Amino acid sequence: MKYDAKTFVVIVGAVLILMNIISAVIVKTIGKRKLVVGSLLATAICSLSISVYASIKIPISVFSYEASTFPESKDMLPVVLLMALVCVTSLGIPWILLSEVFPFRSRGMATGLAAAFNYVIVFLATKTNYNLEASFHISGTFAIYAIITFIGTMYLYLYLPETENKSLAEIEAYYKGNQKIFANDCLINAFRKKNPTNIDVVKPMLVN
């Protein structure tokens, strides 16, 4: 839409700073696991919402990199969705987790590799955005982002332990133990096999 791009850049920067401050304040109460998984899930929902809006409201001729194709109308809904996306992506705390989830002996190397891989992914996402939108329109591009983020949400929901208020030794013990799935709520517990509660079931059979 034909809003002032420079104003948007300033607003996005201010929102990023504000949401990072909020994240630092609420992480002690919510915990890192819930904050990360919730942030990813909200990111996927916002991306999907933008995709649906674009498929319904934005003509195929509109291209983000060509201002001459922008519609004249100034609808506020996509602005709200975009700012919501900026907010929820700012709540994640991957840099803090990097210093916690790797074992002590390989923490330096593993943290460096993970950070480098992050920048590679950011570069690829930025570099391919133009081609994705040219091929799949804005709706298809954000649909792809939503799918990737939903997959990431499910992975971290299952395999990311809660590290808040845990020592590095306790976190390392998580990964050394037999527990592989760290999700523990009504959603995942509904699919887990329950241990028999009837004592007769576990009692050994006696043969006369």
Side-chain angles (χ1 to χ4, degrees):
M1 298 155 297
K2 294 191 176 179
Y3 288 102
D4 182 36
K6 294 180 180 178
T7 302
F8 258 95
V9 170
V10 173
I11 294 174
V12 167
V15 171
L16 284 172
I17 295 173
L18 176 62
M19 296 309 297
N20 275 277
I21 294 173
I22 293 175
S23 175
V25 171
I26 65 177
V27 67
K28 289 287 184 182
T29 304
I30 298 178
K32 294 187 181 75
R33 173 184 158 81
K34 290 180 180 178
L35 192 60
V36 170
V37 175
S39 172
L40 265 181
L41 180 60
T43 298
I45 292 172
C46 287
S47 297
L48 183 61
S49 300
I50 293 174
S51 173
V52 172
Y53 174 89
S55 64
I56 296 173
K57 293 286 189 178
I58 299 180
I60 298 295
S61 58
V62 174
F63 189 52
S64 295
Y65 294 88
E66 294 290 342
S68 60
T69 66
F70 292 179
E72 294 292 337
S73 60
K74 292 187 176 182
D75 192 359
M76 285 302 299
L77 180 57
V79 178
V80 172
L81 292 175
L82 176 62
M83 296 311 299
L85 182 63
V86 172
C87 289
V88 295
T89 53
S90 307
L91 286 176
I93 44 177
W95 298 111
I96 298 176
L97 288 174
L98 280 183
S99 62
E100 296 179 341
V101 297
F102 294 119
F104 177 76
R105 291 181 181 179
S106 59
R107 186 168 297 143
M109 178 64 73
T111 300
L113 289 174
F117 184 69
N118 169 74
Y119 287 119
V120 170
I121 293 297
V122 171
F123 169 77
L124 291 175
T126 306
K127 185 68 175 176
T128 57
N129 179 264
Y130 182 97
N131 301 95
L132 284 174
E133 188 176 332
S135 302
F136 303 109
H137 189 235
I138 301 174
S139 58
T141 302
F142 275 93
I144 292 171
Y145 295 158
I147 292 170
I148 294 172
T149 314
F150 272 122
I151 294 172
T153 301
M154 288 304 302
Y155 180 84
L156 290 182
Y157 170 74
L158 293 173
Y159 299 114
L160 178 68
E162 178 56 75
T163 61
E164 186 64 26
N165 297 322
K166 300 289 191 300
S167 68
L168 295 177
E170 288 176 309
I171 297 169
E172 192 168 340
Y174 276 142
Y175 290 106
K176 286 184 177 179
N178 295 325
Q179 186 178 358
K180 300 302 180 184
I181 295 179
F182 298 101
N184 185 22
D185 51 47
C186 58
L187 179 62
I188 191 67
N189 289 337
F191 295 95
R192 281 183 170 145
K193 292 182 179 179
K194 296 181 179 179
N195 295 324
T197 54
N198 188 346
I199 192 171
D200 293 331
V201 175
V202 296
K203 187 188 297 181
M205 294 180 64
L206 300 178
V207 180
N208 294 327

